[in-house]
Amino acid sequence: MQPSDIDKKVKGYRRLIPSMTALLEFEAVARLASFTLAAQELGVTQAAVSKQIRLLEDTLETKLFHRLHRSIKLTHEGYVLHLVVAESIHRMASVFDKIAEGIGEQEITIACTQAFSHSRILPRLIALRTLQPKLKLRLLTQQVSPSSYRDDVDLAIRFGNGKWEDGSSLFLFDEEVFPVCSPAWLAANAAPSSVTDFLDTALIDSDSTLEGWMTWNRWCRELGDGRPKLTYSFRCSSYNDAIEAAIQGHGIALGWSRLIAHRLNSGELIRITPYVVKPKDAYYLVIPSGRKLEPITQALIDWLRDESYLNP
């Protein structure tokens, strides 16, 4: 891009966003739902904040807040803008902190689900520090499998068929799904001996939150029970919560072998019945488009794959 092209682009941004001050003050007002509190936080007058918000609204030719009798509320346009502005400010602050703290180039940002981070990455951190003492790892976690990537993501963990257009995929490992419970629950209850036994058993279920994720209904259907009428003792949106409930003895949960290996090794959970379902999908390490394959990537794959790091 030629310097003249850059100048044109910058001028274009300035035309669309005439004041970074207005955006910063808008973010504070939206977050705090108050012109007064925003002014106090920013160390300016309420009138100055109101002026900046009016400037932003005039520029966009739309209202960003509903001015109610004793409160304010974001309009739809204000809500959409706040999502983008808040995330952008957070990302800029993270970069500033990174530069100020002198964090080296060996920091790698990995995006993954909360379940994968909690169950597969965190139990292995000690081993990673031994293998790569200079590596700094940053995790970006969310409830569902990453379907798109932020600019600061170096690698992502995804569960699926490995065929995505927004990055190149490297196979990590496949999965097996089977029932698990705590030793205490098994001591007080009879283990199911057939698939139909699960119809009358206290089950712990979690929501299907990503492509290929398996609930009890789907697990039973895979084993031949067409429309099971199951009894749940506990249901939750988070797989981590479902596993914790099983550890606490509240019933039987579905164990994803790659995510609960450390729980089985420690004896917190026990695999019951010989029944198992092997999903067609698998886990992949994805390099987002525009990112290059770094030498450290293979070491991270080996670290994630190696089951010996989970021995208690």
Side-chain angles (χ1 to χ4, degrees), residues 23-53:
L23 289 177
L24 290 170
E25 296 192 6
F26 164 74
E27 188 280 330
V29 173
R31 172 167 43 84
L32 298 171
S34 168
F35 284 87
T36 301
L37 293 178
Q40 292 174 357
E41 179 179 276
L42 296 168
V44 297
T45 65
Q46 182 177 338
V49 172
S50 297
K51 180 179 179 181
Q52 291 296 332
I53 300 303

Side-chain angles (χ1 to χ4, degrees), residues 87 95 161 296:
E87 181 182 358
V95 172
N161 60 15
I296 191 63

Side-chain angles (χ1 to χ4, degrees), residues 245-261:
I247 291 173
Q248 297 298 326
H250 297 294
I252 301 177
L254 282 175
W256 289 66
S257 63
R258 303 295 187 173
L259 300 183
I260 64 164

Side-chain angles (χ1 to χ4, degrees), residues 32-291:
L32 298 171
S34 168
F35 284 87
T36 301
L37 293 178
Q40 292 174 357
E41 179 179 276
L42 296 168
V44 297
T45 65
Q46 182 177 338
V49 172
S50 297
K51 180 179 179 181
Q52 291 296 332
I53 300 303
R54 284 197 302 272
L55 170 65
L56 200 54
E57 290 179 326
D58 290 343
T59 301
L60 296 173
E61 298 182 352
T62 188
K63 293 294 183 182
L64 299 175
F65 294 96
H66 295 296
R67 275 78 167 175
L68 307 177
H69 179 57
R70 293 183 179 274
S71 63
I72 59 172
K73 183 180 180 180
L74 284 166
T75 63
H76 171 73
E77 293 77 9
Y79 175 78
V80 173
L81 180 62
H82 181 243
L83 287 179
V84 175
V85 172
E87 181 182 358
S88 299
I89 290 175
H90 174 74
R91 289 169 62 182
M92 287 189 291
S94 297
V95 172
F96 291 151
D97 287 343
K98 183 177 179 179
I99 295 173
E101 294 172 7
I103 298 176
E105 295 182 354
Q106 271 214 290
E107 181 180 75
I108 293 181
T109 298
I110 297 180
C112 63
T113 63
Q114 295 172 0
F116 195 94
S117 170
H118 185 82
S119 303
R120 194 77 190 181
I121 292 180
L122 295 179
R124 287 174 159 75
L125 277 183
I126 294 178
L128 180 62
R129 298 203 181 282
T130 300
L131 292 171
Q132 303 290 336
K134 294 184 179 180
L135 176 66
K136 293 181 175 62
L137 192 64
R138 177 171 176 248
L139 294 179
L140 290 176
T141 61
Q142 55 194 58
Q143 182 72 6
V144 299
S145 185
S147 57
S148 60
Y149 310 112
R150 291 170 26 172
D151 293 339
D152 53 347
V153 170
D154 300 304
L155 302 168
I157 310 295
R158 292 181 73 171
F159 185 78
N161 60 15
K163 298 177 182 178
W164 297 291
E165 297 180 355
D166 55 354
S168 55
S169 304
L170 302 173
F171 176 80
L172 277 179
F173 37 69
D174 54 15
E175 260 292 8
E176 292 185 344
V177 185
F178 45 78
V180 294
C181 67
S182 70
W185 190 92
L186 190 60
N189 299 273
S193 58
S194 67
V195 177
T196 56
D197 285 348
F198 286 99
L199 300 179
D200 300 315
T201 302
L203 303 178
I204 302 169
D205 204 20
S206 57
D207 294 344
S208 177
T209 55
L210 69 154
E211 182 184 358
W213 193 255
M214 192 165 293
T215 61
W216 273 108
N217 268 287
R218 182 178 172 187
W219 187 83
C220 290
R221 289 198 302 270
E222 292 284 339
L223 292 175
D225 193 329
R227 299 178 64 86
K229 294 183 179 180
L230 303 171
T231 301
Y232 299 105
S233 64
F234 185 65
R235 299 185 70 181
C236 52
S237 62
S238 165
Y239 183 71
N240 291 338
D241 290 342
I243 291 302
E244 185 61 32
I247 291 173
Q248 297 298 326
H250 297 294
I252 301 177
L254 282 175
W256 289 66
S257 63
R258 303 295 187 173
L259 300 183
I260 64 164
H262 63 300
R263 302 295 194 181
L264 296 173
N265 289 345
S266 67
E268 293 174 285
L269 290 175
I270 298 174
R271 178 175 177 172
I272 56 175
T273 82
Y275 298 105
V276 62
V277 171
K278 297 182 179 181
K280 295 179 181 179
D281 292 335
Y283 291 100
Y284 291 86
L285 189 72
V286 183
I287 304 170
S289 300
R291 294 281 178 175

